[in-house]
């Protein structure tokens, strides 16, 4: 070998040695990690199994996951190559359904990546809240006792001029008692149904007849009520973004379906009970 060739060879070797190991052989999804009778199992296959694992398994150390996933794929491959493995009609239609579902999921994922414009959000906000009746919210106080008789006696005392807040401090078994029974502001659905229904029928300043709930018997005083304001756009931005995206998906599905050539067997042309006959998959 000439001196020049020897120098070149030494330079190449030095360059290769100097390269980081990762740069020389960086694995990707196509990296073959095993072969079974010539059939390749790739890192991509392992990653797909990893992605589909239940959450409790996802937390395992990677060396444990590697062994488990590798063993699963090798075992599945040797079984799939065995004489007893037949690509039956059941297998074929299952593969077709899985492929269809995965491709549909890819289409939905692509739509989900598309940003929702401020104009679309504003339009959705106005459509939902601009003229919506948000209902009322209420400010009330109550006295909670164990029996109807106790509640009725309290009503009689209040009708006789007793102070509601003082009675609440003295008699109420609820956590609001020390605060004079004050509950603050609450909107629809925030109180148990019998309590909410009673409040919604009351006049400002009125005291209710005894009201029973699972907590006991209540005597209620309605202090104030007011119309609820619509939420701000920022407070419902995430909610509206999801709704707009859902509508985009629905509109696209409708559009694609209308453009497609679709033929369907009418239900009156077939006995729908045939869906119970899973034996047909064995043909």
């Amino acid at each position: 070998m000439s001196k020049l060739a020897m120098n070149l060879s030494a330079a190449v070797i030095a360059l290769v040695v100097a390269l980081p190991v990762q740069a020389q052989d960086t694995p990707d999804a196509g990296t073959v990690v095993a072969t079974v009778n010539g059939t390749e199992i790739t890192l991509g296959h392992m990653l797909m199994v990893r992605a589909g694992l239940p959450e409790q398994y996802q937390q395992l150390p990677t060396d444990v996951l590697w062994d488990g996933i590798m063993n699963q794929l090798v075992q599945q491959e040797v079984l799939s190559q065995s004489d007893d493995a037949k690509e039956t009609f059941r297998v074929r239609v299952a593969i077709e359904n899985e492929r269809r579902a995965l491709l549909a999921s890819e289409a939905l994922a692509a739509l989900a990546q598309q940003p929702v414009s401020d104009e679309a959000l504003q339009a959705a906000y106005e459509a939902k809240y601009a003229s919506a009746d948000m209902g009322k919210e209420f400010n009330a106080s109550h006295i909670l006792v164990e029996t109807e008789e106790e509640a009725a006696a309290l009503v009689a005392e209040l009708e006789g001029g007793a102070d509601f807040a003082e009675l609440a401090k003295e008699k109420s078994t609820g956590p609001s008692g020390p605060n004079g029974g004050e509950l603050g502001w609450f909107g629809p659905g925030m109180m148990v149904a019998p309590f909410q229904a009673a409040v919604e029928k009351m006049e400002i300043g009125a005291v209710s007849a005894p009201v029973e709930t699972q907590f006991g018997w209540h005597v209620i005083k309605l202090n104030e009520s007011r119309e609820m304001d619509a939420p701000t756009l920022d407070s419902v931005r995430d909610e509206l973004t999801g709704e707009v995206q859902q509508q985009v998906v629905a509109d696209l599905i409708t559009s694609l379906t209308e453009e497609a050539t679709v033929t369907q067997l009418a239900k009156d042309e077939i006995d729908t009970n045939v869906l119970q006959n899973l034996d047909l998959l064995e043909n």
Side-chain angles (χ1 to χ4, degrees):
M1 178 181 294
S2 69
K3 185 176 181 180
L4 177 58
M6 291 176 63
N7 289 338
L8 287 174
S9 297
V12 170
I13 292 171
L15 177 60
V16 172
V17 171
L19 288 173
V21 173
Q22 185 175 9
Q24 295 178 44
D25 189 18
T26 302
D28 58 26
T31 299
V32 176
V33 294
T35 60
V36 179
N37 296 325
T39 298
E40 295 179 345
I41 295 174
T42 67
L43 180 57
H45 293 128
M46 296 188 72
L47 289 171
M48 283 303 299
V49 174
R50 163 72 170 77
L53 289 175
E55 182 63 30
Q56 63 268 31
Y57 294 110
Q58 303 252 12
Q59 308 305 318
L60 291 173
T62 54
D63 60 331
V64 175
L65 283 173
W66 182 278
D67 290 341
I69 295 172
M70 178 68 77
N71 289 338
Q72 175 183 323
L73 288 171
V74 169
Q75 290 168 9
Q76 288 176 341
E77 185 59 38
V78 295
L79 284 170
S80 72
Q81 294 180 18
S82 69
D83 292 339
D84 292 326
K86 308 293 183 185
E87 189 169 315
T88 62
F89 178 76
R90 176 191 285 269
V91 171
R92 289 197 300 275
V93 295
I95 292 172
E96 290 168 3
N97 276 350
E98 184 67 14
R99 180 179 182 275
R100 183 184 300 113
L102 288 171
L103 289 174
S105 295
E106 288 293 306
L108 292 178
L111 284 174
Q113 296 301 316
Q114 297 179 9
V116 176
S117 68
D118 290 340
E119 292 78 8
L121 279 177
Q122 185 65 42
Y125 176 80
E126 292 176 0
K128 189 170 185 177
Y129 295 110
S131 59
D133 180 4
M134 302 304 299
K136 286 186 175 182
E137 56 182 352
F138 306 91
N139 184 302
S141 302
H142 79 138
I143 305 171
L144 178 65
V145 291
E146 293 184 359
T147 67
E148 184 177 11
E149 290 75 17
E150 291 176 280
L154 289 170
V155 172
E157 289 188 62
L158 291 166
E159 289 175 346
D163 183 77
F164 192 98
E166 292 303 318
L167 275 182
K169 293 176 182 178
E170 179 184 351
K171 302 287 189 180
S172 183
T173 63
S176 65
N179 196 37
E182 293 184 7
L183 296 170
W185 289 97
F186 56 90
M190 294 179 63
M191 297 294 178
V192 292
F195 192 102
Q196 185 80 31
V199 168
E200 290 178 358
K201 296 176 182 177
M202 294 175 64
E203 298 291 334
I204 303 296
V207 173
S208 73
V211 176
E212 184 181 17
T213 72
Q214 65 263 44
F215 303 107
W217 287 86
H218 307 257
V219 177
I220 307 167
K221 180 181 179 181
L222 179 59
N223 302 317
E224 297 179 75
S225 69
R226 64 189 181 194
E227 297 295 326
M228 293 179 64
D229 294 329
T232 64
L233 174 56
D234 282 341
S235 69
V236 292
R237 181 176 297 274
D238 290 344
E239 173 191 337
L240 288 176
T241 297
E243 292 176 2
V244 171
Q245 289 175 330
Q246 289 178 3
Q247 190 59 52
V248 169
V249 169
D251 291 344
L252 177 64
I253 292 173
T254 298
S255 174
L256 291 174
T257 303
E258 289 175 349
E259 293 172 3
T261 302
V262 179
T263 61
Q264 295 175 278
L265 192 65
K267 286 190 293 186
D268 58 4
E269 298 180 273
I270 191 170
D271 181 2
T272 56
N273 288 322
V274 73
L275 283 175
Q276 304 290 344
N277 188 4
L278 298 182
D279 290 339
L280 292 176
L281 290 173
E282 306 307 326
N283 291 342

